[in-house]
Amino acid sequence: MLKDITLGQFYPAESKIHALDPRVKLVGTLLYVVSLFLFHNLAGFLLATAFLFFLIHMSKVPVSYILRGLKAIFILMVITAIFNVLFTPGTTIVHVWKIRITWEGVRAAVFMFIRLTYLVMGTSLMTLTTTPTRLTDGMESLMAPLEKIHAPVHEVAMMMSIALRFIPLLVDETDKIMKAQMARGADFESGNFWRRAKSMVPILVPLFVSAFRRAGDLALAMEARCYQGGEGRTKMKPLVYGRNDGKAYAVLWIYFAAMILVRIFLNLPHVPLLGH
Amino acid sequence: MSITLKNVSYRYSTGTAEEIEALKNITLTIEDGQFIGLAGHTGSGKSTLIQHLNGLLRPTEGQVLHNGQDIFEKGFDLRTYRTKVGLVFQYPEYQLFETTVLEDACFGPLNQGKTKEEAREMAKRALRSVSVPEELFERSPFELSGGQQRRVAIAGVLAMEPEVLVLDEPTAGLDPCGRTEILDLVKSLQEERKITVVLVSHSMEDIADYVQRLVVMKEGEVFLDDEPKKVFSHFEELEEIGLSAPQVTYLMQDLSAQGFGVPTDCITVEEAKEAILKAVGKC
Ligand SMILES: Nc1ncnc2c1ncn2[C@@H]1O[C@H](COP(=O)(O)OP(=O)(O)OP(=O)(O)O)[C@@H](O)[C@H]1O
Ligand SMILES: [Mg+2]
């Protein structure tokens, strides 16, 4: 019942994208997101689309999995679109009472919609093809220069990986506790808001107790193995760039350069999606 | 009240990459008043099976029948049914939540709709029966030792006075004294109050000492289902699936192989003692 809540869900498959160094994927996602805000015409849009679907195809992750991420922000997207349509000044298409729909508004809404969609799809692709552990490893490595200014990079990365590790455990635990209380006749579904909130107590108390116990155990186990922070610590699986990672960086930068060039030089007719 | 599983299959995480078939076409009837043991290698589906008995898991295929009625039918009062089939989970002490031991044990009876007074009476009786000393009743359950917490948690289920009691490895991690105490208590409940007991256990000794019928699971299927004596006579097959017979059974096998005229089907120490004395007396 609680299994639907999986954060940073990883889709196991064997593909070139899965095998890439997490740093490439992090940088790539960042570049892709920036590139989404570069295009303002058909050519740029087509290029961004082609690039995204090419990557999805290479990753062997079913498109339905990638689209799943959209559900969470659908409302946000719709609201953004409505605001764009209603409050962008420009050439009026429809004018009813105080509501004025402009040509520029519709255009901005469509582009914003596409951008958000691709943004979510792009980042989902990264989280679906990279295990949380590798992701935090990659972040730690990319942020390492910040240690010079005494930012606690290693500690933050360690906290993130522990948190990620604990999410499925806590979900399992909640499931177990819920079942145990249901076996004692607990009722989580009926009653008004107040009663329902109260019926959460038998779940939350054991859950917190167990979270604290686990945290304590983990801290002890880490100390027993001489963990003492980031200073001088080496990795069991250090991140090493391979040949494919180099190629991937090349492809990325070529794509990014192409997006910039398209923006500067190619000015195809505006907004193909509606036709003039 | 009898519970019947009819062609029950259960799959975890259906529709995802890691779908697991935990139960495969299980048909099993739990008769009134029986003391049933449930054994099987780790991961064989024991915990999954017992969660079907009180409707916490809904079979992917098949039915769970209570006195012939499907418990997932519309209009069946599943919540009341759950309080009649008391289920004690593995490590039940992790579900304690109240501020005092007594109040925690009251949780079940209160959910059954009992008044505060009745609930307290039932809770006290249950706590006493698992020998939780009176002076702990007003203490916080989180201040108790692990073994005491286990007793309080078991009492929380017993307090509902269920007609069927299902225990998932209730003695894991208890000292030998605590083990026999809890199992003796369960046995006496079964005999005096005529309740049905299902005991999941990894200890063949416990099973041999207490149960009348033993169900052995293997990879989600019922592998053997018979009297313990008969099941343990298949000890070679049991070993293949990672289980064993009680140690005395092996002892008797060895003695018999050495030429002592003892029977080889003894499964409890008591039985073996009698048999050996008889054999030695004859010599
Ligand atoms: N919540 C769950 N989600 C997914 N798979 C599960 C879940 N619980 C159990 N399983 C799987 O179902 C199978 C049966 O598990 P189950 O817990 O019923 O075994 P068990 O016989 O109780 O084992 P043990 O003796 O270790 O308690 C196992 O393969 C297990 O990995
Ligand atoms: Mg189990």
Side-chain angles (χ1 to χ4, degrees):
Chain A
M1 58 187 91
L2 283 162
K3 283 283 175 273
D4 312 326
I5 320 169
T6 30
L7 247 131
Q9 4 160 255
F10 175 66
Y11 182 89
E14 287 199 11
S15 78
K16 291 227 167 74
I17 304 280
H18 281 77
L20 283 181
D21 190 288
R23 286 170 293 183
V24 180
K25 286 187 260 190
L26 281 163
V27 173
T29 310
L30 193 68
L31 281 185
Y32 187 73
V33 169
V34 173
S35 82
L36 287 179
F37 292 89
L38 282 177
F39 73 75
H40 58 178
N41 58 27
L42 176 62
F45 161 72
L46 286 180
L47 190 56
T49 310
F51 190 62
L52 181 63
F53 280 88
F54 165 69
L55 292 180
I56 292 176
H57 177 74
M58 285 227 344
S59 74
K60 296 186 188 160
V61 178
V63 179
S64 64
Y65 269 79
I66 291 171
L67 292 177
R68 237 174 245 181
L70 287 176
K71 251 192 257 166
I73 64 147
F74 188 74
I75 304 278
L76 178 76
M77 283 167 55
V78 169
I79 293 173
T80 317
I82 290 174
F83 270 80
N84 268 309
V85 168
L86 294 186
F87 300 113
T88 315
T91 343
T92 311
I93 317 173
V94 190
H95 192 164
V96 185
W97 181 51
K98 277 187 182 169
I99 299 169
R100 182 198 300 269
I101 294 177
T102 64
W103 173 242
E104 281 76 5
V106 172
R107 184 180 133 82
V110 168
F111 268 94
M112 196 39 92
F113 200 82
I114 293 171
R115 279 185 182 127
L116 285 177
T117 308
Y118 283 11
L119 190 143
V120 172
M121 285 172 77
T123 38
S124 299
L125 185 65
M126 173 181 72
T127 52
L128 282 164
T129 59
T130 322
T131 59
T133 344
R134 299 226 337 137
L135 215 53
T136 36
D137 269 2
M139 278 188 206
E140 187 181 354
S141 163
L142 286 175
M143 302 280 183
L146 292 183
E147 297 230 292
K148 294 232 168 61
I149 55 162
H150 300 290
V153 173
H154 168 77
E155 281 71 18
V156 170
M158 180 58 87
M159 271 157 61
M160 266 179 67
S161 47
I162 291 175
L164 285 170
R165 177 73 191 81
F166 268 59
I167 288 169
L169 280 180
L170 289 181
V171 169
D172 269 0
E173 194 90 10
T174 314
D175 204 42
K176 255 188 220 155
I177 295 169
M178 251 175 110
K179 277 184 182 163
Q181 306 299 21
M182 274 159 82
R184 294 209 273 168
D187 178 11
F188 305 118
E189 271 120 39
S190 56
N192 57 23
F193 174 78
W194 180 236
R195 273 198 56 175
R196 267 195 238 189
K198 248 177 88 178
S199 76
M200 289 293 128
V201 173
I203 300 176
L204 291 180
V205 172
L207 190 66
F208 273 96
V209 170
S210 116
F212 280 115
R213 190 185 53 241
R214 275 178 198 278
D217 288 354
L218 182 69
L220 214 62
M222 282 166 77
E223 277 189 356
R225 292 170 207 184
C226 306
Y227 175 80
Q228 46 189 332
E231 199 74 20
R233 196 173 146 78
T234 54
K235 289 227 181 282
M236 183 163 128
K237 290 182 189 159
L239 293 175
V240 185
Y241 282 123
R243 179 177 295 192
N244 276 336
D245 298 316
K247 284 189 205 158
Y249 269 130
V251 171
L252 264 173
W253 286 108
I254 290 170
Y255 161 77
F256 196 64
M259 284 299 276
I260 294 175
L261 291 180
V262 165
R263 183 186 168 98
I264 298 174
F265 294 114
L266 267 185
N267 242 336
L268 292 183
H270 284 323
V271 194
L273 297 144
L274 293 169
H276 229 337
Chain B
M1 67 184 233
S2 78
I3 306 175
T4 304
L5 301 187
K6 210 166 141 195
N7 304 102
V8 168
S9 298
Y10 188 81
R11 282 187 285 277
Y12 280 107
S13 4
T14 39
T16 66
E18 59 254 43
E19 188 172 310
I20 296 173
E21 188 163 30
L23 294 181
K24 297 168 198 161
N25 195 19
I26 292 211
T27 300
L28 192 72
T29 300
I30 288 162
E31 309 279 2
D32 235 356
Q34 276 184 329
F35 197 129
I36 303 179
L38 187 59
H41 193 54
T42 171
S44 56
K46 304 181 295 290
S47 302
T48 311
L49 178 82
I50 59 171
Q51 287 174 49
H52 282 84
L53 297 180
N54 71 348
L56 281 176
L57 290 180
R58 192 188 183 123
T60 319
E61 278 153 41
Q63 288 177 306
V64 182
L65 305 172
H66 166 238
N67 293 337
Q69 197 191 355
D70 190 337
I71 65 166
F72 289 104
E73 221 166 65
K74 257 213 168 108
F76 187 90
D77 187 356
L78 207 52
R79 216 154 71 81
T80 310
Y81 172 71
R82 278 190 188 131
T83 63
K84 285 195 240 167
V85 183
L87 176 57
V88 179
F89 276 86
Q90 250 165 326
Y91 300 105
E93 54 272 29
Y94 296 157
Q95 76 207 29
L96 300 172
F97 71 96
E98 272 289 4
T99 45
T100 70
V101 166
L102 187 62
E103 274 176 66
D104 201 276
C106 285
F107 183 64
L110 286 175
N111 284 330
Q112 281 175 308
K114 299 276 192 285
T115 65
K116 262 214 155 82
E117 280 312 302
E118 282 173 313
R120 284 176 79 88
E121 273 319 303
M122 291 165 90
K124 278 184 183 164
R125 241 177 306 171
L127 285 167
R128 283 192 201 109
S129 74
V130 291
S131 39
V132 174
E134 209 82 27
E135 61 263 28
L136 295 184
F137 284 11
E138 296 303 326
R139 289 267 289 276
S140 155
F142 300 107
E143 293 170 355
L144 307 183
S145 78
Q148 288 169 327
Q149 287 185 346
R150 174 80 54 91
R151 285 159 201 258
V152 172
I154 293 176
V157 172
L158 289 180
M160 299 187 295
E161 299 180 353
E163 295 165 39
V164 178
L165 183 60
V166 185
L167 302 128
D168 197 348
E169 298 193 42
T171 57
L174 287 188
D175 58 51
C177 238
R179 295 172 80 108
T180 36
E181 218 174 276
I182 286 192
L183 292 176
D184 281 343
L185 164 80
V186 171
K187 183 83 190 162
S188 69
L189 283 177
Q190 184 245 344
E191 277 166 358
E192 284 157 25
R193 273 207 249 140
K194 305 278 173 247
I195 64 171
T196 313
V197 177
V198 178
L199 173 71
V200 176
S201 180
H202 274 133
S203 159
M204 296 303 144
E205 273 71 26
D206 287 352
I207 284 179
D209 282 342
Y210 292 96
V211 312
Q212 302 163 336
R213 172 181 165 198
L214 173 57
V215 178
V216 179
M217 307 221 9
K218 177 196 175 187
E219 291 165 15
E221 285 171 297
V222 173
F223 180 60
L224 291 166
D225 178 0
D226 214 328
E227 288 169 37
K229 242 189 187 21
K230 292 194 180 138
V231 171
F232 288 134
S233 69
H234 298 272
F235 62 91
E236 276 150 345
E237 289 160 63
L238 287 178
E239 279 165 16
E240 266 168 38
I241 61 167
L243 299 176
S244 63
Q247 298 198 344
V248 283
T249 310
Y250 293 104
L251 174 71
M252 298 307 268
Q253 298 274 352
D254 285 353
L255 285 175
S256 164
Q258 301 274 329
F260 293 90
V262 292
T264 55
D265 66 342
C266 298
I267 57 171
T268 68
V269 177
E270 243 353 90
E271 262 182 305
K273 185 175 132 196
E274 299 281 316
I276 293 174
L277 282 178
K278 221 165 116 196
V280 174
K282 262 188 204 157
C283 285

